[in-house]
Amino acid sequence: MADEKLIEKLLVTFYNGNTSREEETVLRKFFRAESTPEKWNIDSALFFALYDSPEIDISTDISERLESKIDRYITENRDSKKHSITKRLFVSAGSIAAAILLLAGIFFFHDRLYPGNDMITDTYTDPREAAVAAEKILTVISVNLNKGFLPLEKTRKSIEKTNELLNENLKLNN
């Protein structure tokens, strides 16, 4: 009976990942005994599946094959990445230039278009309308800020594609 309490304690420790080699040796000896109680059949099967599994034969050239596939993938996509980076740079620069021109035009030509309008006045007389307009503006700002997460999504997709390639290569070796 003392052995069963010890085994139960060792199994809890084993499932928590905290057993030492000596404790695992005790479990191995216990499970190899012919008179293992039926209530531990599943534990025994799991224990031996983890420790007595046959060695997996991994081809020695798997590293070279993975490296060559990765290199081939990188060279195939290098030109498109350079193009997309250049395109993004030009689009960003163009957007910034357009915004600067718009602001400069408003700043310099506003007085010419609307002379005598030196006093700043409220555009809304109803506070509810002002709140609705402010909410719309904040929504637009929020949407534009969330566009910054788009590169992160592209990175996530790239990582997923790399994982798929690795999984395909590992399946080929089996």
Side-chain angles (χ1 to χ4, degrees):
M1 199 58 142
D3 283 340
E4 287 187 14
K5 287 183 180 181
L6 174 67
I7 296 302
E8 286 176 5
K9 181 182 174 189
L10 288 176
L11 281 173
V12 169
T13 309
F14 174 75
Y15 286 128
N16 287 330
N18 297 324
T19 52
S20 65
R21 287 186 186 263
E22 294 80 20
E23 290 170 329
E24 289 173 10
T25 303
V26 170
L27 284 173
R28 188 176 293 116
K29 285 180 183 177
F30 177 77
F31 287 135
R32 287 190 190 226
E34 292 180 19
S35 61
T36 303
E38 218 175 286
K39 68 179 181 180
W40 284 317
N41 285 345
I42 295 174
D43 296 311
S44 175
L46 178 65
F47 185 84
F48 288 122
L50 290 173
Y51 284 100
D52 288 347
S53 61
E55 289 294 319
I56 299 172
D57 183 32
I58 297 177
S59 147
T60 56
D61 66 336
I62 190 170
S63 177
E64 291 88 19
R65 288 191 300 161
L66 280 174
E67 286 177 13
S68 68
K69 286 208 181 230
I70 291 170
D71 289 342
R72 197 169 344 126
Y73 177 76
I74 289 171
T75 55
E76 289 172 359
N77 292 313
R78 184 179 299 147
D79 293 334
S80 65
K81 286 182 183 179
K82 284 182 182 177
H83 177 68
S84 68
I85 291 172
T86 306
K87 183 179 176 183
R88 261 189 274 147
L89 253 166
F90 280 118
V91 169
S92 297
S95 300
I96 292 170
I100 290 172
L101 284 173
L102 180 67
L103 290 174
I106 291 171
F107 181 75
F108 289 114
F109 297 110
H110 183 266
D111 288 340
R112 290 185 186 167
L113 293 174
Y114 303 103
N117 191 11
D118 293 336
M119 290 200 42
I120 298 175
T121 59
D122 283 338
T123 54
Y124 294 96
T125 55
D126 184 15
R128 289 186 200 131
E129 287 180 32
V132 169
E135 186 176 334
K136 286 181 182 177
I137 290 170
L138 290 174
T139 301
V140 169
I141 291 171
S142 174
V143 166
N144 288 331
L145 286 175
N146 285 334
K147 287 181 183 177
F149 289 114
L150 183 63
L152 294 175
E153 181 65 23
K154 290 179 181 177
T155 302
R156 185 189 62 76
K157 288 179 182 177
S158 176
I159 290 171
E160 285 177 0
K161 190 167 186 174
T162 302
N163 284 338
E164 288 174 13
L165 287 171
L166 289 172
N167 287 334
E168 285 177 24
N169 286 314
L170 291 175
K171 286 179 185 176
L172 292 176
N173 291 328
N174 289 337

